[in-house]
Amino acid sequence: MNAVVVKDLVKKYGRLVAVKGISFSFSEGMIYGLIGPNGAGKSTTLRILATLLEPTSGEAKIFGLNVKKDKDKIRKIIGYLPEEAGGYKYLTGYEYLEMNAKIYSPDNYGEVLEYGALLTGLGDRLYDRIGSYSKGMIRRLLLARALMNKPRLAILDEPTAGLDVIHATQIRRMIKNMVNEGVTILLSSHNMLEVQFLCDELSLINNGEIVAQGTPEDILKDTGTDNLEDAFMRLVGNE
Amino acid sequence: MSNLLVLIKKELKETVRNPRFIIFTIILPLILYPLMGLIISQAFTSVSEKTKTGTILVVDMDNSNISEYLIDSLNRSGLHVILRHSEPNISSLDSNVLGVIIIPKNFGEDFLNGARPTVTVYSVINGVSISEQGLMSYIFGIVGFMKETLKYLLAQMNGIDPNLISNPFTENRKIYVRNWGKLMTDQDLNAIFMQVMFWPWIMFSMVISVVQLSATFLGEEKEQKTLEILLTFPVRRTTILFSKVVGSGILAVLAAIFYTVGFLIYMNSFSTMIGQIGLTIQLSFDPVSIILTGLIFFLALLFSAALGLTVSVIAQDTKSAESLATAVIMPTMLVAFIVMFMDISSLPTYLQLILYAFPYTYLMQGLKYVYIGRYQFFIIGIIDNLVAAILMLSLISRIFTSERILTMKIRFGRGRRSRLT
């Protein structure tokens, strides 16, 4: 079954057209990447799929549910991680996860909370206030929040942006493991090497338009390059 | 030198683009202070106008040459004097009467015998404000003029230096406050005046703190992007908004409780003082007044919380939210000034309507009405504040349930003008 189907999606902010009629789809159980530079339209697309923004035109469906009409149903099956998000600095990490577990899984929140706490890997620091966490710790907490309920689709906007190598590797490992738990992942990144490592399939996006689609291997083959960065540069005509 | 210029340019850009600079260095001095000056000058112009057109009622119960000499002196000094020979009903005087001076029987005889007679003086004012205080001083100043006149008369009659004569008569000062329908001593009025002077500023500081605090509620969520996560929860947007409003409401209730307690202590300190100096006015601060005042507090604070949330919806971050909240709440300072300097009932009807449509006027003016237990004022204030709070909440509710909660933004600086998208 298709996890996500996006067809001719357009999003305008006043006169600015952020997304110019993009289309892509992918199946359940995959890690799918939207790759491109800053301002390419990745975050806008993910925000539309996360039901935060309304599409100006076109269609977007998650497991057959329409982002315009079935917002409440979609919110029950997704986990969303915004780019560069922070936390509530006066709550402890544990209290934050507890709130989320109670909202998403009121019947078995204890179990979900325990799993979320394990996912963070924060140990005793989970009982400290979020205000005292480093950037990497906050990112792990928020990723655990998005995944602890084992959503059908996790939408992760730049999950490793701004993190050092150690934290970024830990996050990538978490994402890979979640697929084995039955979670489908849609992520965005401007780190093309990371995507090459993580994603089963991807769309390269530039200036609101998709410039290439397929598996990393197919794109490399089509462009005659050996990494996605070179492939992207060749596709947008900067080389 | 060129490095210095580059750094100075950077400093200036950073400072000028700071919203606080715009508000506190441009908006405040250029708009607010001139408006405050206008209010003060308007207040004193109205006092000056009243003294030119107002009349002084002199009740001559003595009909002696001395009393006639005094009245003649008052007439010659350009005052509008109306002469009577019987005591008027103070509560039913014409609106242009500024004061009543009662010269008692045997005044002339007592004066000539050095018995120092007592003249009763009523200053008739509309309400309690700095301008009305000015009118009160004007009337008591006329009494001073009468004393000087008699000193010179006595000195002339006895061929002595007028400076050797201390006080040709004593006066019994009374103040009648028309809008309150109350007669009081000047000590009473001064005690009330001290409270009324500071009250609007206490209220202003309360309102600005609640608006700023609730503005940062959402401002921080937007800045940290926790709002985006919150909005993807499998929960209705109205539920999320309701949780914010209840949070702000609890904040408003707490603020109302603490401010009411502080207010009671404040009132109690004045009651103690009034008891010590033997003042006569009774503070009608009964349970009904406390409940009504508390309700106005609560609703005004709920309105403030909703206003703060609305401001934070269009602000992009905490700093913008705080600055915008401060800018939005600044006009309240003008209301505080008006309440302090002027009697609102003496303003033109359209201005009164504008002021009373503004929810905070009741909060600031309320203390004056506590003294006289005029409950209808509080009832109107409660309705006004309730309507304002509902309107503000429905506005924010409309924004909150659409994507504008994320896309609508005003950001100060970084460009030539604030942007609204």
Side-chain angles (χ1 to χ4, degrees), chain B residues 330-345:
Chain B
M330 273 304 164
T332 310
M333 199 190 252
L334 291 178
V335 178
F337 243 69
I338 291 171
V339 170
M340 205 171 96
F341 277 92
M342 299 167 103
D343 182 61
I344 293 184
S345 63

Side-chain angles (χ1 to χ4, degrees), chain B residues 238-257:
Chain B
T238 44
T239 308
I240 297 168
L241 174 64
F242 191 61
S243 73
K244 293 263 170 216
V245 172
V246 171
S248 300
I250 290 170
L251 177 83
V253 171
L254 283 175
I257 290 170

